[in-house]
Amino acid sequence: MMKRSPLHRYLRFWRADVEDDVDEELRFHLEMRERDYVTSGLSTNEAKLETARRFGNVDSVRALCYEIGHQHERSTRIADFVQGVRNDVVFAARQLARNPGFTVAAVVTLALGIGANALVFGFVNAVLLRPFPGVRSPDRLISVGGYSVSYPSYRDFRDGTPALAGLAAFSDRGTAVSDGTRTIVASVGVVSGNYFNILGVMPSAGRLLTPADDEAGAAPAAVLSRSFARTFFPDDASPVGRTIDLNGSPVKVVGVAASDFRGTEVDASQAMWISIHCWMDLAPASFAGLNLEKRGWGWLTMIGRLAPGASLQSATTALNASAAQQERAFPDHNNGFAKDVASHPPSLAADAAVSSVPHGVVVRSATVILVIVAIVLLIACANVSNLLLARAMSRRREIAVRMAVGAGRGRMIRQLLTETAVLAIIAAVVGLLATVVANRYLAHVSIGDDFSFSSLGAHVDTHVTVYTISIALVASMIFGVAPAFQGTNDGNMTVALKDGSPGGGRSASVLRRSLLVAQIALSLILLIGAGLFTRSLQRALAADPGFDGSHVATARINVGLIPRDSARVGAIYDELIRRLQNTPGVHFAAMATALPLDRGSDSERFRLDDYIPPPGPESDLELADVTPGFFQAFSIPLLSGRRFGDQDAPGTQHVAIINETMARQYWKGREPLGRRVLLGGDTVTIVGVVRDSKYHDLGEPPQRYLYRVLGQHLGSSGLFPQQIVVRGSGNASQLVPLLRKTIGNVAPEVPVSGASTFDESTGHVVFAQRLGAIGLGLFGLLALAMTSIGIYGVVGYGVTQRTREIGVRIALGARSRSVLALVLTENLSTIVLGLVLGGALSVLLTRAISGFLFGVSALDGVTFAGATITLLIVGLAAALPPALRASHVDPAVSLRGD
């Protein structure tokens, strides 16, 4: 006979009824335990019992036995539950494996919806939820103002704001980076020495920059981002100690930042970081004539960390006080500075992380996109729910048998929900894999020169994985609960046991059609959204921007990235334009500091002869420096005066051309030609007026603008990045290699970036419309396909259920035509109900995207009618094959079972 352990025998005392017997049995078995375990170790519970036996009494031993019994019962219940779940999962996996067609259809459908949500959440996570990975306590960081400051102003803010634990300054600069064999243009963060310390960033190799690196005369030092280090030095385990050339000057790599740190602007990842003083020594050409101590040179952005116990309000008060003090001390350079600072209060850095787009726009865009992908997931859930409902009805005999032999309804519901959960988890894994692939593809996609998906740093991390698994489980509840309850409804179990009929009754039919109505309504919302964005894109592309950018190619160069003087820079520009102008196929060639719609315009404080603008935004005038031929290259009409020409050479009278809005705003019908405009310390004379153009966005209202001659301002703007423009008669893409070749022949050491057609370089202008049209179009087509499959399945299942009824109708004389009309009419009501519901919801939801539309109302009647008719036709087409099958039912076959 198998010997049982003394501890196991103690547990039976937990249910003993007679105290005396318990005491007697306890004494006996305690003695047995002492003999059996004299040479063996004791467990925790056995040690307690041994202590109670030796130093306590029978009552304490009894209490311990009760405690051990409770523990054993709890652990038994938990073990039983875990074993039950394990059995459910194994059984679910077997069931899904036996039905591969159903499993694949359900997994693919769900994976599309879950993967879309995971992809979008990855970008939301990178932009809004975790905008500063690798930074310590990002909730204490603040972004200081929507303005740029000079280095002396930054220093005053840093030393005069006790509410901040620290204040850092940074700027993003394009830099020529070389390792001796290749030269590329990289985004370099120019930062104050306390930048990394304030952010709390840790190095992954070497060290980070310190205040000692940001002193005059300090040895040039650079910290690389982890991604740039892997890309630029793929063969080095660690590039620390290596030397790279920045703008032709050697710089030592002293460290590599944490692997996930990309900088403090979500949409502008930096390749490396160097100190402010280091940058001044490395880029003499770009900063020619500029002194770091010049208070009028605002080029730095500030970011700070709140001191312990300090609030955002106290930091705002201290910054405003410092700005007012600076304006009083330096009125010549800081006129209106206190008002500018007060009108741009600091905000949490996470709320201002995206530098090129207002935070509110980012939040609104993210919300709209999340709602869209949520709709796609709901459509997928409705589709899979119908599949599960049909499958549950087909398994009613199996379910009835299991319930008849003792399985409760709750037990069967748990089993069915486990199957849906397994489906959802498999779909989540597939969706995550699809998201990884999509992220790798999007990393190579850019919109013009200003935006690329890779700069957002979206990837599948723990947050995205947890979110995906969570929505998968929530989705399993959404699409699994109703089929599980309907499939285990014991109302018709007797019928199911008798003849195996799938049954389901009227309630199952109502549920199927309700799910179908929801699918149709949600699909209509997506189709209407896609139609609105498509029409908006068409209107945007057909809009008149005030110039003609067709047949135009552009490229960006930056002679200021190499040590040059102004005379040599002017010679390079002249030679480039001369060679391009004399190239067959090129009609006009020009250069400019900013092109229409590229958001790159500069601005200057200005005054007129008879007008002094008040402090604030009104005092800034946007402008671009261009060469002769610029207006001809873009076919910008001249309204009065003359264009720039060879007579406007360096050293001659500085001249300018204004647009019609500026002429109308300040001279109101008077002749502006010959008037003078004071820009900073320069005075220009107006020699021409040109037609208004769109300078930043197609939807912007008319605004004033001024053009100067590039050759007359080479000491400043001529050394910064310039756009080369060529206009030909053929396809603009054929001019791109010509641009690259000519630049390489004239100045091979000058970095070239963004060589493309003008339409490609300004793709960001219609980015929202294009993204909406493509994204919603794809989602709409996907929803349309899933809905059509759902309609086909529901109608086909209904026809199968009613085969005998239809056979009786035909046997009694009903014609095939009338049966066809009957089936289509019954399902037409379901489709129409879904369309009405979807149209009503669309009226409410499309208002959220009105800000992204161009030239189209959010309630555009043509779009609503077109989407409704399209979905109606697709729905009837999907219902037609089952209806035709119903009209050809053979009564003899259908009634044979009776």
Side-chain angles (χ1 to χ4, degrees):
M1 185 174 70
M2 184 177 64
K3 185 177 181 181
R4 307 182 72 179
S5 71
L7 180 62
H8 184 86
R9 290 198 298 271
Y10 292 153
L11 301 181
R12 70 186 179 90
F13 303 145
W14 181 46
R15 294 185 175 88
D17 296 323
V18 183
E19 243 181 67
D20 294 338
D21 292 339
V22 170
D23 295 342
E24 183 179 352
E25 288 281 346
L26 275 174
R27 293 188 186 94
F28 171 77
H29 287 295
L30 282 172
E31 293 173 359
M32 291 289 296
R33 189 208 60 77
E34 188 174 9
R35 288 196 297 268
D36 289 343
Y37 285 87
V38 68
T39 58
S40 62
L42 301 179
S43 68
T44 302
N45 287 329
E46 290 168 342
K48 289 180 180 179
L49 286 171
E50 177 65 18
T51 303
R53 189 187 71 82
R54 291 184 176 181
F55 304 101
N57 51 36
V58 174
D59 291 336
S60 61
V61 175
R62 182 187 300 112
L64 282 171
C65 286
Y66 273 93
E67 180 183 346
I68 295 171
H70 280 294
Q71 292 177 358
H72 178 74
E73 186 171 87
R74 284 196 299 268
S75 62
T76 301
R77 286 199 300 266
I78 293 173
D80 289 343
F81 175 78
V82 171
Q83 184 62 39
V85 172
R86 184 184 298 115
N87 293 338
D88 287 345
V89 171
V90 171
F91 183 79
R94 290 174 179 172
Q95 286 290 324
L96 296 177
R98 289 173 184 171
N99 299 272
F102 162 79
T103 302
V104 170
V107 166
V108 170
T109 302
L110 281 176
L112 289 172
I114 292 173
N117 279 267
L119 179 65
V120 171
F121 181 78
F123 286 101
V124 172
N125 179 56
V127 174
L128 296 177
L129 304 182
R130 297 183 69 241
F132 303 129
V135 172
R136 172 177 54 85
S137 302
D139 57 308
R140 298 294 292 173
L141 292 178
I142 63 170
S143 177
V144 183
Y147 49 89
S148 297
V149 299
S150 65
Y151 185 74
S153 289
Y154 151 68
R155 201 166 48 210
D156 290 343
F157 279 125
R158 180 194 65 192
D159 299 336
T161 313
L164 296 178
L167 186 66
F170 65 93
S171 180
D172 184 45
R173 297 286 163 174
T175 305
V177 182
S178 174
D179 62 354
T181 59
R182 53 183 169 156
T183 300
I184 64 171
V185 178
S187 175
V188 174
V190 181
V191 301
S192 56
N194 61 349
Y195 179 78
F196 290 105
N197 181 49
I198 288 174
L199 296 180
V201 178
M202 300 299 293
S204 62
R207 67 173 180 85
L208 302 177
L209 297 178
T210 66
D213 295 307
D214 194 22
E215 295 179 355
V223 173
L224 308 185
S225 70
R226 188 62 181 166
S227 60
F228 181 79
R230 283 196 298 259
T231 303
F232 205 68
F233 302 106
D235 300 329
D236 280 7
S238 175
V240 176
R242 291 197 56 168
T243 298
I244 57 176
D245 285 346
L246 301 184
N247 297 344
S249 299
V251 178
K252 183 179 179 181
V253 177
V254 298
V256 178
S259 58
D260 52 355
F261 180 70
R262 304 186 311 272
T264 46
E265 293 178 344
V266 171
D267 56 346
S269 298
Q270 275 80 46
M272 68 184 71
W273 297 268
I274 61 176
S275 69
I276 293 174
H277 281 86
C278 178
W279 174 254
M280 293 300 297
D281 295 334
L282 297 178
S286 295
F287 284 54
L290 293 174
N291 187 332
L292 187 60
E293 296 298 324
K294 182 178 179 180
R295 285 190 173 268
W297 177 29
W299 64 291
L300 294 170
T301 303
M302 297 185 295
I303 188 169
R305 181 175 292 278
L306 292 173
S311 65
L312 190 62
Q313 181 58 45
S314 62
T316 302
T317 302
L319 288 167
N320 288 336
S322 179
Q325 193 279 331
Q326 291 181 51
E327 183 172 4
R328 290 192 298 270
F330 308 98
D332 294 339
H333 301 289
N334 291 327
N335 184 27
F337 187 54
K339 183 177 180 180
D340 287 347
V341 172
S343 62
H344 297 90
S347 60
L348 293 178
D351 294 341
V354 182
S355 60
S356 62
V357 183
H359 180 73
V361 175
V362 175
V363 173
R364 191 165 68 251
S365 303
T367 303
V368 169
I369 297 174
L370 283 174
V371 169
I372 290 171
V373 293
I375 291 175
V376 174
L377 180 57
L378 288 175
I379 294 173
C381 288
N383 209 333
V384 174
S385 187
N386 259 326
L387 289 175
L388 286 172
L389 185 60
R391 186 164 181 267
M393 293 300 101
S394 66
R395 295 174 61 188
R396 282 178 66 82
R397 182 176 178 83
E398 169 207 335
I399 295 172
V401 169
R402 295 179 66 184
M403 293 179 69
V405 297
R409 188 184 185 192
R411 180 68 182 82
M412 293 307 304
I413 290 175
R414 192 181 83 178
Q415 176 60 55
L416 294 176
L417 289 180
T418 301
E419 292 183 20
T420 62
V422 171
L423 266 179
I425 295 300
I426 296 173
V429 173
V430 175
L432 282 173
L433 294 176
T435 301
V436 172
V437 174
N439 280 331
R440 290 181 178 177
Y441 168 75
L442 290 175
H444 302 288
V445 177
S446 60
I447 308 298
D449 297 332
D450 298 330
F451 175 81
S452 65
F453 285 98
S454 61
S455 65
L456 300 181
H459 62 284
V460 177
D461 59 6
T462 305
H463 293 78
V464 177
T465 303
V466 171
Y467 173 82
T468 305
I469 299 297
S470 300
I471 64 170
L473 294 177
V474 171
S476 71
M477 293 297 102
I478 293 175
F479 67 76
V481 169
F485 275 87
Q486 183 63 42
T488 57
N489 186 358
D490 55 4
N492 294 316
M493 285 300 172
T494 303
V495 177
L497 284 171
K498 179 180 178 181
D499 60 6
S501 171
R506 179 176 175 79
S507 60
S509 177
V510 171
L511 179 58
R512 283 193 295 271
R513 294 190 178 277
S514 299
L515 292 171
L516 189 58
V517 167
Q519 277 187 273
I520 294 171
L522 295 172
S523 298
L524 182 61
I525 294 173
L526 293 183
L527 287 178
I528 289 175
L532 290 174
F533 274 108
T534 300
R535 283 176 56 79
S536 179
L537 178 62
Q538 293 173 343
R539 295 283 180 88
L541 295 177
D544 181 11
F547 60 88
D548 182 10
S550 61
H551 312 296
V552 173
T554 68
R556 178 177 295 178
I557 66 171
N558 194 338
V559 179
L561 294 181
I562 57 176
R564 299 279 188 186
D565 56 25
S566 298
R568 176 57 181 151
V569 170
I572 292 177
Y573 290 169
D574 291 341
E575 181 64 15
L576 280 174
I577 294 176
R578 186 188 66 79
R579 290 202 187 187
L580 290 170
Q581 191 71 62
N582 294 329
T583 301
V586 175
H587 295 169
F588 298 100
M591 300 191 71
T593 56
L595 302 181
L597 298 177
D598 73 351
R599 302 174 181 172
S601 299
D602 195 4
S603 63
E604 290 276 1
R605 297 288 176 91
F606 81 103
R607 293 175 54 187
L608 305 179
D609 287 341
D610 52 356
Y611 177 80
I612 300 177
E618 178 72 15
S619 64
D620 292 334
L621 175 64
E622 289 198 76
L623 55 90
D625 295 329
V626 303
T627 63
F630 173 84
F631 301 104
Q632 295 93 322
F634 281 103
S635 298
I636 300 177
L638 180 70
L639 302 181
S640 64
R642 66 174 178 86
R643 299 185 180 93
F644 297 144
D646 294 337
Q647 68 271 33
D648 303 314
T652 62
Q653 181 187 27
H654 289 188
V655 296
I657 292 176
I658 62 173
N659 68 347
E660 56 183 317
T661 293
M662 184 171 179
R664 182 172 55 252
Q665 181 175 351
Y666 294 112
W667 287 279
K668 299 179 181 179
R670 296 176 294 164
E671 182 59 65
L673 300 181
R675 305 278 185 171
R676 294 185 302 167
V677 181
L678 179 64
L679 297 168
D682 182 37
T683 300
V684 296
T685 301
I686 299 173
V687 297
V689 180
V690 295
R691 182 187 176 189
D692 284 344
S693 298
K694 298 297 184 182
Y695 305 104
H696 304 293
D697 189 83
L698 290 172
E700 68 186 16
Q703 57 182 297
R704 59 181 189 239
Y705 206 82
L706 180 142
Y707 301 90
R708 300 186 305 189
V709 180
L710 177 60
Q712 295 178 343
H713 301 275
L714 285 178
S716 55
S717 63
L719 296 175
F720 287 96
Q722 307 300 322
Q723 296 276 10
I724 305 177
V725 182
V726 292
R727 184 180 188 86
S729 54
N731 192 327
S733 60
Q734 298 175 353
L735 299 174
V736 175
L738 174 65
L739 265 176
R740 290 188 177 276
K741 181 179 179 181
T742 304
I743 296 171
N745 291 335
V746 174
E749 73 278 29
V750 175
V752 182
S753 62
S756 63
T757 66
F758 177 77
D759 291 338
E760 292 172 344
S761 68
T762 56
H764 62 272
V765 177
V766 292
F767 173 62
Q769 292 79 20
R770 194 184 303 277
L771 181 63
I774 295 175
L776 271 175
L778 292 175
F779 289 142
L781 291 175
L782 177 62
L784 198 62
M786 288 192 293
T787 301
S788 62
I789 293 172
I791 293 174
Y792 176 86
V794 170
V795 177
Y797 187 81
V799 168
T800 302
Q801 293 287 89
R802 299 174 60 187
T803 299
R804 293 182 180 180
E805 173 199 336
I806 294 172
V808 171
R809 288 176 179 272
I810 296 177
L812 294 177
R815 297 181 179 180
S816 298
R817 184 184 307 170
S818 62
V819 173
L820 177 66
L822 173 66
V823 175
L824 289 179
T825 302
E826 288 180 351
N827 289 282
L828 179 62
S829 60
T830 302
I831 297 174
V832 170
L833 180 59
L835 293 175
V836 172
L837 179 61
L841 291 175
S842 297
V843 171
L844 299 176
L845 296 178
T846 52
R847 299 179 185 275
I849 63 173
S850 59
F852 303 101
L853 302 178
F854 178 84
V856 176
S857 168
L859 302 177
D860 182 59
V862 174
T863 302
F864 272 68
T868 303
I869 293 172
T870 299
L871 191 51
L872 177 62
I873 294 174
V874 170
L876 290 175
L880 186 59
L884 288 173
R885 189 170 72 248
S887 67
H888 291 86
V889 167
D890 187 346
V893 175
S894 64
L895 297 176
R896 187 171 299 164
D898 293 336

